[in-house]
Structure formats: structure tokens, C-alpha cells
Amino acid sequence: MIEMERKMKPESLMMSYGYKPELSEGAIKCPIFQTSTFVFKSAEEGKAFFSLAYGLREQNKGEELGLIYSRINNPDLEILETRLTLWDEAEDCAVFESGMSAITTVLLEFLKPGDLVLISSPLYGGSDHFIRKILPKFNINLLEFKVGQNKDEVIQLVNNSGLADKLALIFIETPANPTNDLIDIRSKKEIAKHFSTNEKPVYLAVDNTYLGPIWQHPIKHGADLVLYSATKYIGGHSDVIAGACLGSKELIKRVKGLRTFLGNMASPNTGWLLLRSLETLKVRMDAIAYNANKVADFLNTHPAVEKVYFLGNITPEHGEQYEIKKRQCLTNGGMISFDVKGGEKEAFQFLNALRLIKLAVSLGSTESLAEHPATMTHADVDEKLKKEFSITEKMVRLSIGVEYHEDIIHDINQALESIKK
Ligand SMILES: *Cc1c(COP(=O)(O)O)cnc(C)c1O
């Protein structure tokens, strides 16, 4: 195998890794295994596969789980999972039919009644809703900390809750959406360790959707679990909903165990679409990062723009935020938020005047998108918190695509000019 001779970069392996053409009539690409079940060679083989799948016996050396039934395993999903591990250098991966199903499966697997989950704030709306509105039905408690609170303050917060011995999971999202505020992954791991005991480890899960698998590697900074909405950069073409969870073999075994019984694994077709997307993940994200820097440079000097929220604007004067950026973020990403001068009226004028950039939520796709967080993605956020997070009426969020950067800038410019008229 060529992979053995030299440690290649993931982008070099995305077209071939984990796929054996000889098992598929020599097809260069992995076919869609559109099948619900798999034929066993013998009853003995069926018995052996099941006893391994259900953990009734130890895995033999070098043995892989045989194909049984597409809720348990399917080649499109297995190859996709193998390839996804390369970017994050994770031991294992589980893919899901949506980002939300990956997130909720992790929350349900690692929390039980009476437990405490510590979250960063703000979180993605769907995660926030599940943790605030649905987990309490199972008597799971929630505590939140905010960007800028240091390790000692957060430890104090947990101690003051009276539930420190119940802390089971820390769940964070960095950079925060839509303000690009950064949270230190390393210090959250130290907090998890601080409250861990031999009987009850505290795990750290990081939703890495906003920077994706190319621009930030949470496991390197201590995360136990990394979560993705694969709908965003990984899928990258606004044509599929999917999710992924990565981590150690031990933890992903638990995640896959619950996935088998919730039945929220990705379909073969979704797996195939994502395999195709992964081949261009690096070049798409390189193009997006390049474009985002150009667009931010333009917005930073435009007279109709009051403030730009972009990782590239975090400079040494920002102290701690700059230190975190240097450590965690490999580029400035592809997400830019900005405040127009004025309020909702001006922001809407801008959005309605866009021609190339599409007015839609979601992010990380080939086409550039624009939306209004205060009334769209973050409509659900408490008014007081919105103010605190600077999610005001004048804010617009952009997800930069792969178009020619001057065309994107031209569109933004004409839409900003239209505000005055
Ligand atoms: C979109 C998104 C999700 C949810 O993913 P779906 O694929 O829509 O279920 C979770 N977290 C973040 C940060 C997201 O942007």
C-alpha cells in the first residue's frame, strides 16, 4: 500500500483510503451500497458477526466487524468514517443523518438523570434548545459559562452550583456563532480533569462545525469528542444534511452503540455524497479562507460598516483571545459577521439588495450566504443574552463561498451602497 511508505496528508488520501476496488468489481469509486441487509456465507459466520457486534466476545487480532445490517454497518459509512478520522487524527468516528442527531446522541449517551452538563454560551440554536428544553425532562441539569470567564471563575461557578460531583460533560462551541468569540479548549479540559474521579470521568465535547476539520483540531487541545454538522463544510454543497462524532475507540464504541438503537445513522446515499465531498474539502476550504480574508479587508474599511467580527481582526491587543486564536485556529475561517450603520431596516436593505450572495441560513458551502442572526438563526435567544453577545438588529452574518473574491466583494459593495438610497 502506498500509504505505508510515507505519511501522506489527508487530502492525498481522500480519493482512495479505506476502499478496496477489488471488492466492488474494480470500480474506482466506492458504489452506493443501497442495501438494508447483507448475506452471510454461513450460519457460523452470522453467529460470529453478531457476537462481536453485540459485544458478547472479544475482537480477534486484526478482525473487522463483518457486514450485518445497514443500521449497524454499511461500507459507505465505514469508509467515510475511516476517512474522516484522518483530519482530526481521531481513533474512530461515527456518522449520523444530521449534526443534531450526532449532538443529541452524545448528550444522551454521556449524561444520565441527576447529572450536570456545563456548556459554553451562546451555542447553536438546536443544541441550546435540546439542552435547555428537552434534557430537563430527564432531570439533567445545565450550567453555562460565557466567553471570557477564566478557568478559576468557571470552577467557582461549578462549585457554587452545588452539583460539582454530578458534572459529567462539558459541551462547548468555538468560535462562537455569530460573533467569532473564542473559547480555550485546553483550559476546559483542565476543568474536566479537575472534576473527574476514577469512578466518574468528566468528558469534554467540542462542536467544531464552525471551523471544520481543516482549520481546528480540538482533540490536539484535549477534547474527548469532536462533533460536526457535516451539512456545513464537510458536505459543502448545500445538498445534504449529515453529522459526525469523533474520538477514542472506547468512546465512539459507546456512541455507535446508542446510534444502533436510536437508528439515526447516515444512509448509504448520504455516506456516498460525503465521500465525494471529502475529495475537495481541502481545496474548497483553502479557497473559502482566502476569499474571507479579502472580504474582511474590504468590510473593515467600508464607511457603511460599523464593526466587523472576524478571526482575522483578533490582534495582539486582544490579549487572551489572540493567544487562543494562535493556538487553536489554523486560518481565520470563512465566517464574517458585521454591524451595518443603522438597525434592522438598514440590515434588511443590505440583505434584500444582494444578487450573487444568497439570503439563506447554514454555512460552509460553495456558494456565499448571508442572513440576519437576530431575527433568523438566533431569533430564539433571550433578548438580554442577545444584547450581551452583541447579536443586535444591525448585525449581518456572511458565510463566504468559493466564488471569485472580487465578485463577492462587488456584490457586498453594491448592497451596502443601496442602503443610503
Ligand atoms: C448546523 C449546525 C448544527 C446542526 O447540524 P444539522 O446538520 O443542521 O443537524 C450544529 N452545530 C452547529 C455549530 C451548526 O452550525
Side-chain angles (χ1 to χ4, degrees), residues 98-100 103 124 127 173 207 209 229 231-232 241-242 363:
S98 68
M100 279 313 301
I103 292 165
Y124 175 73
S127 313
E173 212 177 292
D207 181 339
T209 303
S229 166
T231 311
K232 312 296 165 54
I241 300 274
L363 62 99

Side-chain angles (χ1 to χ4, degrees), residues 127-138 142 380:
S127 313
D128 189 78
H129 181 92
F130 191 82
I131 291 168
R132 270 179 222 281
K133 305 276 161 64
I134 300 185
L135 288 183
K137 290 193 210 172
F138 302 98
L142 139 85
D380 212 17

Side-chain angles (χ1 to χ4, degrees), residues 24-257:
S24 296
E25 307 274 9
I28 189 161
K29 289 293 141 178
C30 179
I32 307 178
F33 285 85
Q34 190 67 48
T35 186
S36 58
T37 193
F38 296 86
V39 179
F40 303 134
K41 289 195 185 97
S42 65
E44 288 76 12
E45 188 187 72
K47 178 180 175 181
F49 288 1
F50 263 95
S51 59
L52 184 59
Y54 285 165
L56 306 176
R57 65 174 171 91
E58 287 296 310
Q59 201 154 352
N60 297 322
K61 226 178 157 213
E63 182 184 15
E64 282 177 41
L65 178 59
L67 294 163
I68 297 176
Y69 181 73
S70 286
R71 179 156 46 73
I72 299 170
N73 51 12
N74 177 287
D76 292 292
L77 304 198
E78 289 189 342
I79 295 166
L80 170 63
E81 288 165 347
T82 305
R83 289 189 191 166
L84 276 172
T85 60
L86 296 178
W87 303 100
D88 280 282
E89 296 186 21
E91 282 177 18
D92 207 353
C93 170
V95 290
F96 290 83
E97 202 50 57
S98 68
M100 279 313 301
S101 55
I103 292 165
T104 54
T105 302
V106 161
L107 292 170
L108 292 174
E109 176 58 30
F110 294 96
L111 293 166
K112 61 177 188 315
D115 277 350
L116 175 69
V117 55
L118 175 67
I119 62 168
S120 63
S121 188
L123 282 184
Y124 175 73
S127 313
D128 189 78
H129 181 92
F130 191 82
I131 291 168
R132 270 179 222 281
K133 305 276 161 64
I134 300 185
L135 288 183
K137 290 193 210 172
F138 302 98
N139 191 24
I140 291 163
N141 305 286
L142 139 85
L143 190 64
E144 62 189 306
F145 67 91
K146 305 216 169 69
V147 170
Q149 283 190 298
N150 68 27
K151 183 178 140 190
D152 293 335
E153 287 169 319
V154 178
I155 288 176
Q156 193 65 47
L157 191 73
V158 175
N159 283 330
N160 291 348
S161 74
L163 292 167
D165 60 329
K166 296 289 182 191
L167 182 65
L169 184 70
I170 303 177
F171 181 85
I172 64 169
E173 212 177 292
T174 179
N177 170 8
T179 53
N180 275 320
D181 290 314
L182 296 171
I183 291 168
D184 187 356
I185 299 170
R186 204 170 62 180
S187 91
K188 298 308 159 299
K189 178 62 179 184
E190 286 165 11
I191 295 168
K193 277 197 188 138
H194 179 93
F195 289 104
S196 284
T197 61
N198 282 340
E199 305 80 63
K200 192 188 63 60
V202 179
Y203 295 116
L204 172 63
V206 179
D207 181 339
N208 197 34
T209 303
Y210 223 62
L211 283 180
I214 307 282
W215 299 331
Q216 181 168 264
H217 299 126
I219 290 175
K220 283 206 179 86
H221 306 287
D224 298 295
L225 292 159
V226 179
L227 291 150
Y228 291 106
S229 166
T231 311
K232 312 296 165 54
Y233 289 106
I234 295 172
H237 295 72
S238 303
D239 56 7
V240 64
I241 300 274
C245 175
L246 295 109
S248 66
K249 277 204 157 59
E250 183 198 345
L251 297 188
I252 297 301
K253 195 173 170 190
R254 288 179 58 182
V255 172
K256 282 186 176 167

Side-chain angles (χ1 to χ4, degrees), residues 274-287:
L274 293 182
L275 283 175
R276 184 169 172 146
S277 287
L278 277 185
E279 299 190 7
T280 55
L281 181 66
K282 176 69 166 50
V283 288
R284 281 187 280 117
M285 291 184 76
D286 283 351

